[in-house]
PDB file of all heavy atoms in Angstrom:
ATOM      1  N   ALA D   5      27.761 -45.748   6.224  1.00  0.00           N
ATOM      2  CA  ALA D   5      28.256 -47.119   6.161  1.00  0.00           C
ATOM      3  C   ALA D   5      28.734 -47.362   4.744  1.00  0.00           C
ATOM      4  O   ALA D   5      28.017 -47.117   3.800  1.00  0.00           O
ATOM      5  CB  ALA D   5      27.153 -48.095   6.506  1.00  0.00           C
ATOM      6  N   ILE D   6      29.942 -47.776   4.636  1.00  0.00           N
ATOM      7  CA  ILE D   6      30.515 -47.966   3.305  1.00  0.00           C
ATOM      8  C   ILE D   6      29.992 -49.255   2.685  1.00  0.00           C
ATOM      9  O   ILE D   6      29.697 -49.322   1.511  1.00  0.00           O
ATOM     10  CB  ILE D   6      32.065 -48.009   3.372  1.00  0.00           C
ATOM     11  CG1 ILE D   6      32.582 -46.656   3.848  1.00  0.00           C
ATOM     12  CG2 ILE D   6      32.665 -48.367   2.023  1.00  0.00           C
ATOM     13  CD1 ILE D   6      32.218 -45.503   2.949  1.00  0.00           C
ATOM     14  N   GLU D   7      29.848 -50.239   3.481  1.00  0.00           N
ATOM     15  CA  GLU D   7      29.497 -51.529   2.918  1.00  0.00           C
ATOM     16  C   GLU D   7      28.550 -52.268   3.847  1.00  0.00           C
ATOM     17  O   GLU D   7      28.728 -52.256   5.052  1.00  0.00           O
ATOM     18  CB  GLU D   7      30.775 -52.343   2.717  1.00  0.00           C
ATOM     19  CG  GLU D   7      30.586 -53.490   1.767  1.00  0.00           C
ATOM     20  CD  GLU D   7      31.885 -54.213   1.523  1.00  0.00           C
ATOM     21  OE1 GLU D   7      32.950 -53.581   1.635  1.00  0.00           O
ATOM     22  OE2 GLU D   7      31.836 -55.410   1.240  1.00  0.00           O
ATOM     23  N   THR D   8      27.554 -52.832   3.271  1.00  0.00           N
ATOM     24  CA  THR D   8      26.674 -53.672   4.063  1.00  0.00           C
ATOM     25  C   THR D   8      26.995 -55.113   3.701  1.00  0.00           C
ATOM     26  O   THR D   8      26.762 -55.530   2.571  1.00  0.00           O
ATOM     27  CB  THR D   8      25.205 -53.389   3.730  1.00  0.00           C
ATOM     28  OG1 THR D   8      25.045 -51.977   3.703  1.00  0.00           O
ATOM     29  CG2 THR D   8      24.274 -53.989   4.740  1.00  0.00           C
ATOM     30  N   PRO D   9      27.543 -55.870   4.630  1.00  0.00           N
ATOM     31  CA  PRO D   9      27.903 -57.244   4.263  1.00  0.00           C
ATOM     32  C   PRO D   9      26.650 -58.073   4.018  1.00  0.00           C
ATOM     33  O   PRO D   9      25.716 -58.029   4.812  1.00  0.00           O
ATOM     34  CB  PRO D   9      28.679 -57.765   5.478  1.00  0.00           C
ATOM     35  CG  PRO D   9      28.472 -56.780   6.570  1.00  0.00           C
ATOM     36  CD  PRO D   9      27.813 -55.574   6.033  1.00  0.00           C
ATOM     37  N   VAL D  10      26.600 -58.708   2.874  1.00  0.00           N
ATOM     38  CA  VAL D  10      25.451 -59.545   2.568  1.00  0.00           C
ATOM     39  C   VAL D  10      25.854 -61.033   2.556  1.00  0.00           C
ATOM     40  O   VAL D  10      25.054 -61.891   2.848  1.00  0.00           O
ATOM     41  CB  VAL D  10      24.810 -59.192   1.214  1.00  0.00           C
ATOM     42  CG1 VAL D  10      23.628 -58.286   1.423  1.00  0.00           C
ATOM     43  CG2 VAL D  10      25.823 -58.548   0.285  1.00  0.00           C
ATOM     44  N   ALA D  11      27.083 -61.258   2.198  1.00  0.00           N
ATOM     45  CA  ALA D  11      27.535 -62.653   2.153  1.00  0.00           C
ATOM     46  C   ALA D  11      28.907 -62.728   2.814  1.00  0.00           C
ATOM     47  O   ALA D  11      29.576 -61.718   2.977  1.00  0.00           O
ATOM     48  CB  ALA D  11      27.634 -63.122   0.711  1.00  0.00           C
ATOM     49  N   THR D  12      29.286 -63.914   3.215  1.00  0.00           N
ATOM     50  CA  THR D  12      30.583 -64.064   3.879  1.00  0.00           C
ATOM     51  C   THR D  12      31.712 -63.918   2.875  1.00  0.00           C
ATOM     52  O   THR D  12      32.758 -63.381   3.184  1.00  0.00           O
ATOM     53  CB  THR D  12      30.700 -65.441   4.567  1.00  0.00           C
ATOM     54  OG1 THR D  12      30.135 -66.415   3.693  1.00  0.00           O
ATOM     55  CG2 THR D  12      29.977 -65.437   5.891  1.00  0.00           C
ATOM     56  N   LYS D  13      31.441 -64.365   1.638  1.00  0.00           N
ATOM     57  CA  LYS D  13      32.486 -64.270   0.633  1.00  0.00           C
ATOM     58  C   LYS D  13      32.672 -62.816   0.226  1.00  0.00           C
ATOM     59  O   LYS D  13      31.693 -62.153  -0.134  1.00  0.00           O
ATOM     60  CB  LYS D  13      32.097 -65.108  -0.592  1.00  0.00           C
ATOM     61  CG  LYS D  13      33.313 -65.529  -1.396  1.00  0.00           C
ATOM     62  CD  LYS D  13      32.978 -66.686  -2.326  1.00  0.00           C
ATOM     63  CE  LYS D  13      32.156 -66.225  -3.498  1.00  0.00           C
ATOM     64  NZ  LYS D  13      31.817 -67.206  -4.485  1.00  0.00           N
ATOM     65  N   PRO D  14      33.899 -62.267   0.327  1.00  0.00           N
ATOM     66  CA  PRO D  14      34.091 -60.861  -0.035  1.00  0.00           C
ATOM     67  C   PRO D  14      33.759 -60.627  -1.508  1.00  0.00           C
ATOM     68  O   PRO D  14      34.096 -61.427  -2.374  1.00  0.00           O
ATOM     69  CB  PRO D  14      35.572 -60.610   0.251  1.00  0.00           C
ATOM     70  CG  PRO D  14      36.202 -61.959   0.359  1.00  0.00           C
ATOM     71  CD  PRO D  14      35.152 -62.938   0.693  1.00  0.00           C
ATOM     72  N   ARG D  15      33.023 -59.541  -1.752  1.00  0.00           N
ATOM     73  CA  ARG D  15      32.645 -59.217  -3.116  1.00  0.00           C
ATOM     74  C   ARG D  15      33.604 -58.168  -3.661  1.00  0.00           C
ATOM     75  O   ARG D  15      34.220 -57.438  -2.899  1.00  0.00           O
ATOM     76  CB  ARG D  15      31.246 -58.618  -3.140  1.00  0.00           C
ATOM     77  CG  ARG D  15      30.158 -59.636  -2.905  1.00  0.00           C
ATOM     78  CD  ARG D  15      28.877 -58.925  -2.510  1.00  0.00           C
ATOM     79  NE  ARG D  15      27.801 -59.889  -2.376  1.00  0.00           N
ATOM     80  CZ  ARG D  15      27.045 -60.272  -3.385  1.00  0.00           C
ATOM     81  NH1 ARG D  15      27.258 -59.785  -4.586  1.00  0.00           N
ATOM     82  NH2 ARG D  15      26.086 -61.144  -3.204  1.00  0.00           N
ATOM     83  N   PRO D  16      33.709 -58.064  -4.975  1.00  0.00           N
ATOM     84  CA  PRO D  16      34.522 -56.979  -5.522  1.00  0.00           C
ATOM     85  C   PRO D  16      33.910 -55.647  -5.098  1.00  0.00           C
ATOM     86  O   PRO D  16      32.689 -55.542  -4.970  1.00  0.00           O
ATOM     87  CB  PRO D  16      34.448 -57.193  -7.039  1.00  0.00           C
ATOM     88  CG  PRO D  16      33.345 -58.174  -7.275  1.00  0.00           C
ATOM     89  CD  PRO D  16      33.126 -58.919  -6.013  1.00  0.00           C
ATOM     90  N   PRO D  17      34.732 -54.626  -4.879  1.00  0.00           N
ATOM     91  CA  PRO D  17      34.244 -53.369  -4.328  1.00  0.00           C
ATOM     92  C   PRO D  17      33.098 -52.771  -5.139  1.00  0.00           C
ATOM     93  O   PRO D  17      32.197 -52.167  -4.582  1.00  0.00           O
ATOM     94  CB  PRO D  17      35.472 -52.456  -4.358  1.00  0.00           C
ATOM     95  CG  PRO D  17      36.607 -53.265  -4.878  1.00  0.00           C
ATOM     96  CD  PRO D  17      36.157 -54.645  -5.106  1.00  0.00           C
ATOM     97  N   SER D  18      33.112 -52.950  -6.461  1.00  0.00           N
ATOM     98  CA  SER D  18      32.088 -52.327  -7.267  1.00  0.00           C
ATOM     99  C   SER D  18      30.705 -52.920  -6.978  1.00  0.00           C
ATOM    100  O   SER D  18      29.694 -52.319  -7.271  1.00  0.00           O
ATOM    101  CB  SER D  18      32.412 -52.481  -8.752  1.00  0.00           C
ATOM    102  OG  SER D  18      32.398 -53.864  -9.075  1.00  0.00           O
TER     103      SER D  18
END
Side-chain angles (χ1 to χ4, degrees):
Chain D
I6 296 299
E7 198 176 333
T8 314
V10 262
T12 41
K13 204 162 74 177
R15 286 162 176 273
S18 63

